Amino acid sequence: MTAEPDDSFHVFDTTLRDGAQREGINLTVADKLTIARHLDDFGVGFIEGGWPGANPRDTEFFARAQKELELRHAVLVAFGATRRANSVAAQDPQVNALLESGAPVITLVAKAHDRHVELALRTTLEENLEMVRDTVSHLVAQGRRVFVDCEHFFDGYRANAEYATQVVRTAHEAGASVVVLCDTNGGMLPAQVQAVTGLVLADTGARLGIHAQDDTGCAVANTLAAVDAGATHVQCTANGYGERVGNSNLFPVVAALELKHGRRVLPEGALGEMTRISHAIAEVVNLPPSTHQPYVGVSAFAHKAGLHASAIKVDPDLYQHIDPERVGNTMRMLVSDMAGRASIELKGKELGIDLGGDRALVQRVVDRVKERELQGYTYEAADASFALLMRGELQRAEGGRAGRFFRIESWRAITEDRPDGSHANEATVKLWAKGERIVATAEGNGPVNALDRALRVALERIYPQLGGFALVDYKVRILEGRYGTDSTTRVLITTTDGSAEWSTVGVAENVIAASWQALDDAYAYGLLRAGLEPQE
């Protein structure tokens, strides 16, 4: 069995505490337990679970965690503050709540900016140092490992370097295992962070960590700069969640440390789970995964320009800084009017369609894509429609014609407004399938839903596989037009058969006609996936 990363470097996750402060995130205790399990699977060293005693939810989390969490890699951390001014740590209720949480590690937040001490804590600079000293030493005496977060450290250092450094020194001398330099307002730049971290390390001899907010867009860079200066403890959140614009993003930080710095900070093989873990946590917090997030975003290794595709066809590393499989992601080729022959060939292979190196055929597909995109179609997010387009061109090149599972004679959708304010939506389709003329009518909760139901009524007897299809996403975009409301409409539909999803596109003068095109492609592609061949 491979040994776990030792204690010489810490990956500390604060998604459950600092990340949960992001606008739009509201975690239940069950959510927090689920995220903790994902983070443990990823192999972080420490999971900060919240502030027990400060709110009932976090208190319940720690109580349930003792019974329900079986962590393999991570250690659970409780967060709290130093004791109140002019009191004793051993008698402070909030400090006692930290001990009662059962967490083996406790993170204390301490003021490191002189103005914050005087204006926010309303105490003296010396009393603040005593609050740090007393609380840290008391918790260490109780058998807890203590980390100290020096809040507003970098701003405090700029205002009064001597005092900010004294806070670090006091925490270290009182027994803190790590003293964390916090860019709480997120205003620092990498060169500043690196310079200050190096100076504090030399002045205090303390083991230093870094906690960076992302208000300048530099949180990941600031974290890595601190590591370059000697910090051996990084505090991050999954997907960069956090207050205001967020925190240092866990995933690009650990990827950079492992792949760029050559520093092993996760259990062996864990990095390959990174994309899955990122998306799983996004599902729990009910936010869509960022498509353009470094390393784990669906677009992180997506290539669109024809020049890129030509090079990638020779060697994928020519336009990729790492092999995407190392972080559990995949390379994708995007098809657009920028596409060249190499893009089309690579995309065909990705979709399981071999164009056989036929330059004339590939060029016809390129020309067809450019023609269709000029009309408003987009194939970047509609792989299924593009696969059908390629399949049709390939069949024509082989002397045949593009087969269909059904031929439409006509369709119509009616929306009726009633005097009582209610609506009725009805659709009728007339089509041919396997030599049989079928007429079907259905109602729905909208004209597109009615069309979808009518199509199912018509075809499910002949193609029972359609019963397992479900529409899971529907997007409409009104494209730029010259006549106000007389504009072209583009519809993107995502369909699933329970094991995979595929997306199709339709473009027309109105949303119903565009939706019909996308539905037609969605059913055709799904039946091909089911192993059927068109006969019409």
Side-chain angles (χ1 to χ4, degrees):
M1 180 178 292
T2 304
E4 299 297 331
D6 61 29
D7 191 55
S8 64
F9 195 94
H10 296 168
V11 175
F12 181 109
D13 183 272
T14 181
T15 304
L16 302 183
R17 201 271 304 172
D18 213 355
Q21 296 182 57
R22 170 174 167 150
E23 184 177 8
I25 291 181
N26 186 24
L27 301 178
T28 65
V29 174
D31 291 336
K32 295 182 73 162
L33 291 167
T34 300
I35 292 172
R37 293 185 184 100
H38 285 312
L39 293 168
D40 184 55
D41 286 345
F42 188 47
V44 302
F46 299 89
I47 298 173
E48 191 170 64
W51 191 329
N55 64 75
R57 186 178 303 175
D58 285 358
T59 301
E60 181 186 347
F61 168 78
F62 282 96
R64 289 182 58 180
Q66 292 186 59
K67 302 174 183 177
E68 300 178 31
L69 279 185
E70 296 182 5
L71 301 177
R72 296 177 298 130
H73 305 296
V75 175
L76 202 59
V77 182
F79 176 87
T82 56
R83 66 157 171 83
R84 291 168 297 177
N86 304 310
S87 66
V88 177
Q91 299 174 5
D92 188 296
Q94 191 271 319
V95 173
N96 287 330
L98 294 172
L99 292 169
E100 291 167 2
S101 72
V105 179
I106 293 171
T107 297
L108 293 173
V109 61
K111 298 292 186 184
H113 192 312
D114 55 0
R115 292 186 70 246
H116 279 265
V117 172
E118 295 170 339
L119 298 179
L121 288 183
R122 297 182 181 179
T123 191
T124 65
L125 300 185
E126 184 54 43
E127 174 61 11
N128 181 57
L129 295 176
E130 186 56 35
M131 290 159 61
V132 173
R133 183 181 297 109
D134 183 23
T135 313
V136 172
S137 60
H138 172 66
L139 292 173
V140 170
Q142 296 299 311
R144 300 299 196 272
R145 189 175 190 183
V146 179
F147 302 154
V148 173
D149 284 358
C150 290
E151 189 182 36
H152 296 283
F153 179 81
F154 290 95
D155 291 317
Y157 190 90
R158 185 159 50 189
N160 186 338
E162 181 179 351
Y163 184 75
T165 303
Q166 186 59 34
V167 176
V168 174
R169 185 178 293 110
T170 299
H172 171 57
E173 292 174 351
S177 296
V178 179
V179 184
V180 182
L181 311 184
C182 300
D183 182 19
T184 309
N185 287 342
M188 295 295 111
L189 299 177
Q192 298 168 318
V193 169
Q194 185 168 3
V196 171
T197 303
L199 289 171
V200 175
L201 183 64
D203 287 346
T204 65
R207 180 175 184 178
L208 299 181
I210 178 68
H211 177 114
Q213 300 292 129
D214 200 33
D215 296 74
T216 59
C218 292
V220 170
N222 286 344
T223 300
L224 297 173
V227 172
D228 286 339
T232 57
H233 170 113
V234 293
Q235 294 194 358
C236 307
T237 62
N239 300 321
Y241 300 143
E243 194 171 19
R244 304 188 307 279
V245 299
N247 286 44
S248 183
N249 191 333
L250 171 68
F251 302 117
V253 167
V254 296
L257 290 170
E258 292 228 345
L259 300 176
K260 308 298 184 179
H261 285 234
R263 182 192 293 268
R264 183 171 163 231
V265 297
L266 297 174
E268 187 173 348
L271 196 66
E273 295 295 306
M274 192 162 80
T275 299
R276 178 184 67 81
I277 294 291
S278 167
H279 294 183
I281 293 174
E283 287 295 325
V284 177
V285 304
N286 200 28
L287 291 173
S290 171
T291 57
H292 291 76
Q293 185 176 168
Y295 294 99
V296 300
V298 70
S299 298
F301 301 95
H303 303 276
K304 184 172 181 177
L307 179 63
H308 288 205
S310 298
I312 287 170
K313 187 177 178 183
V314 177
D315 182 352
D317 290 342
L318 292 175
Y319 274 98
Q320 293 183 157
H321 69 109
I322 63 163
D323 178 352
E325 291 186 2
R326 298 184 73 180
V327 293
N329 210 337
T330 57
M331 183 184 77
R332 295 168 56 241
M333 296 304 302
L334 304 180
V335 174
S336 74
D337 57 3
M338 294 183 181
R341 288 191 299 270
S343 297
I344 298 299
E345 288 186 77
L346 287 170
K347 189 64 179 181
K349 290 180 180 178
E350 182 184 320
L351 295 173
I353 300 174
D354 185 2
L355 298 179
D358 185 333
R359 290 176 63 86
L361 171 59
V362 173
Q363 188 58 53
R364 283 200 299 274
V365 174
V366 172
D367 293 343
R368 182 69 170 146
V369 168
K370 293 182 177 182
E371 172 192 335
R372 298 275 280 179
E373 292 229 342
L374 188 62
Q375 297 168 11
Y377 290 84
T378 179
Y379 294 103
E380 289 183 23
D383 280 358
S385 287
F386 180 64
L388 293 173
L389 183 152
M390 281 197 297
R391 181 184 172 89
E393 292 297 330
L394 182 60
Q395 289 171 330
R396 279 187 279 272
E398 293 172 348
R401 65 182 181 86
R404 304 286 297 173
F405 288 101
F406 51 90
R407 287 187 298 107
I408 298 298
E409 182 179 306
S410 65
W411 61 265
R412 69 179 181 181
I414 301 171
T415 297
E416 177 182 293
D417 288 332
R418 293 170 174 165
D420 63 359
S422 63
H423 305 277
N425 300 281
E426 180 181 284
T428 300
V429 297
K430 300 177 182 180
L431 55 81
W432 291 82
K434 292 188 177 181
E436 180 181 349
R437 184 176 184 268
I438 304 169
V439 178
T441 299
E443 294 182 336
N445 59 14
V448 176
N449 181 245
L451 276 173
D452 186 20
R453 290 184 175 183
L455 196 55
R456 288 174 182 272
V457 169
L459 293 173
E460 279 190 9
R461 176 175 56 83
I462 295 175
Y463 299 115
Q465 294 85 352
L466 295 178
F469 295 177
L471 190 153
V472 294
D473 197 15
Y474 178 84
K475 295 185 177 73
V476 177
R477 181 174 179 185
I478 305 302
L479 304 180
E480 186 176 343
R482 292 176 297 173
Y483 305 109
T485 56
D486 183 18
S487 300
T488 301
T489 302
R490 179 166 66 217
V491 169
L492 286 167
I493 286 176
T494 302
T495 308
T496 183
D497 58 5
S499 62
E501 293 183 356
W502 59 91
S503 296
T504 52
V505 62
V507 173
E509 296 81 6
N510 66 77
V511 67
I512 310 301
S515 300
W516 173 262
Q517 291 181 24
L519 280 172
D520 189 339
D521 274 6
Y523 282 16
Y525 185 81
L527 292 172
L528 286 171
R529 271 186 48 82
L532 303 182
E533 286 294 328
Q535 298 181 3
E536 293 296 320

